[in-house]
Amino acid sequence: MSDGALISIVAMLGWLVLAGSAMASYRLGWSKIAQLALVWLAIFAGLFVVADLLGARLPT
Protein backbone atom coordinates (compact mmCIF):
# COMPACT_ATOMS: atom_id res chain seq x y z
CA MET A 1 0.00 0.00 0.00
CA SER A 2 1.41 3.36 -0.99
CA ASP A 3 1.65 6.38 1.28
CA GLY A 4 -0.99 8.19 -0.76
CA ALA A 5 -3.49 5.38 -0.32
CA LEU A 6 -2.87 5.27 3.43
CA ILE A 7 -3.40 9.02 3.74
CA SER A 8 -6.60 8.72 1.73
CA ILE A 9 -7.95 5.98 4.00
CA VAL A 10 -7.13 7.97 7.14
CA ALA A 11 -8.78 11.07 5.68
CA MET A 12 -11.92 9.14 4.74
CA LEU A 13 -12.14 7.66 8.24
CA GLY A 14 -11.82 11.17 9.66
CA TRP A 15 -14.66 12.43 7.47
CA LEU A 16 -16.77 9.44 8.50
CA VAL A 17 -16.21 10.23 12.19
CA LEU A 18 -17.06 13.88 11.57
CA ALA A 19 -20.28 12.99 9.73
CA GLY A 20 -21.22 10.45 12.40
CA SER A 21 -20.73 12.95 15.21
CA ALA A 22 -22.81 15.51 13.32
CA MET A 23 -25.64 12.98 12.97
CA ALA A 24 -25.37 12.04 16.66
CA SER A 25 -25.74 15.69 17.66
CA TYR A 26 -29.28 15.70 16.24
CA ARG A 27 -30.24 12.84 18.62
CA LEU A 28 -32.40 11.11 16.03
CA GLY A 29 -33.78 7.63 16.53
CA TRP A 30 -32.21 4.65 14.81
CA SER A 31 -35.12 4.32 12.40
CA LYS A 32 -34.76 7.94 11.24
CA ILE A 33 -30.99 7.52 10.82
CA ALA A 34 -31.53 4.35 8.77
CA GLN A 35 -34.13 6.16 6.65
CA LEU A 36 -31.77 9.08 5.97
CA ALA A 37 -28.92 6.70 5.13
CA LEU A 38 -31.12 4.84 2.63
CA VAL A 39 -32.23 8.11 1.03
CA TRP A 40 -28.61 9.24 0.59
CA LEU A 41 -27.65 5.81 -0.75
CA ALA A 42 -30.47 6.04 -3.30
CA ILE A 43 -29.36 9.53 -4.34
CA PHE A 44 -25.75 8.48 -4.93
CA ALA A 45 -26.78 5.25 -6.66
CA GLY A 46 -29.14 7.20 -8.92
CA LEU A 47 -26.42 9.70 -9.82
CA PHE A 48 -24.04 6.83 -10.55
CA VAL A 49 -26.58 5.16 -12.86
CA VAL A 50 -27.33 8.42 -14.69
CA ALA A 51 -23.62 9.17 -15.14
CA ASP A 52 -23.06 5.63 -16.42
CA LEU A 53 -25.96 5.90 -18.87
CA LEU A 54 -24.61 9.21 -20.17
CA GLY A 55 -21.17 7.69 -20.58
CA ALA A 56 -19.45 10.01 -18.14
CA ARG A 57 -15.86 8.98 -17.38
CA LEU A 58 -13.18 10.41 -15.15
CA PRO A 59 -10.18 11.77 -17.03
CA THR A 60 -7.06 9.62 -16.75
Side-chain angles (χ1 to χ4, degrees), residues 16-33:
L16 185 62
V17 168
L18 185 67
S21 63
M23 284 295 295
S25 71
Y26 284 106
R27 299 179 191 253
L28 302 172
W30 285 105
S31 62
K32 185 66 174 179
I33 291 173

Side-chain angles (χ1 to χ4, degrees), residues 1-26:
M1 182 181 302
S2 69
D3 289 338
L6 184 62
I7 291 171
S8 179
I9 290 171
V10 170
M12 285 299 200
L13 287 174
W15 283 112
L16 185 62
V17 168
L18 185 67
S21 63
M23 284 295 295
S25 71
Y26 284 106

